[in-house]
Amino acid sequence: TCAHSAGCLAGVVEVPRAVTAVLGQDVVLPCRYRAQDEDREKVVQVTWLKRGAGGSSDEVVVLNREHGEHVQAPYAGRVLRGAEGALEDGAIVLRN
């Protein structure tokens, strides 16, 4: 799951319905925020969660405009930011 935090959520979060991954290879998980008013809307944080059985979810990584990225311990070394620059592109790469 990808969630964007913006001052006013007037735009649209775009994520694919499905992403195909191959065991042992890297996969990009895309997530983009399309602002309705680019002058007034800025993404300040992107949080990726892993859904578990029974509806539970675990935080994987937080991408923050001021504080950088924070990868949770179980995913350290396996999760990378997928794009440089503004957080409107909140894609991540899962390694291996």
Side-chain angles (χ1 to χ4, degrees), residues 2-94:
C2 169
H4 282 269
S5 300
C8 175
L9 291 177
V12 177
V13 176
E14 298 174 343
V15 292
R17 290 188 60 80
V19 174
T20 301
V22 177
L23 187 62
Q25 295 184 9
D26 296 353
V27 63
V28 176
L29 300 179
C31 180
R32 176 168 286 283
Y33 181 74
R34 300 269 183 213
Q36 190 171 51
D37 182 349
E38 292 183 17
D39 293 331
R40 296 183 55 190
E41 295 177 66
K42 300 294 180 205
V43 177
V44 295
Q45 182 168 299
V46 178
T47 302
W48 280 90
L49 305 170
K50 178 181 177 184
R51 287 190 187 157
S56 66
S57 61
D58 293 324
E59 190 174 277
V60 175
V61 62
V62 175
L63 309 175
N64 186 283
R65 189 174 182 177
E66 283 187 40
H67 305 292
E69 63 187 70
H70 177 72
V71 178
Q72 296 299 323
Y75 305 98
R78 293 192 52 225
V79 176
L80 305 170
R81 179 143 184 231
E84 296 294 322
L87 288 178
E88 280 71 16
D89 184 347
I92 60 171
V93 177
L94 294 180

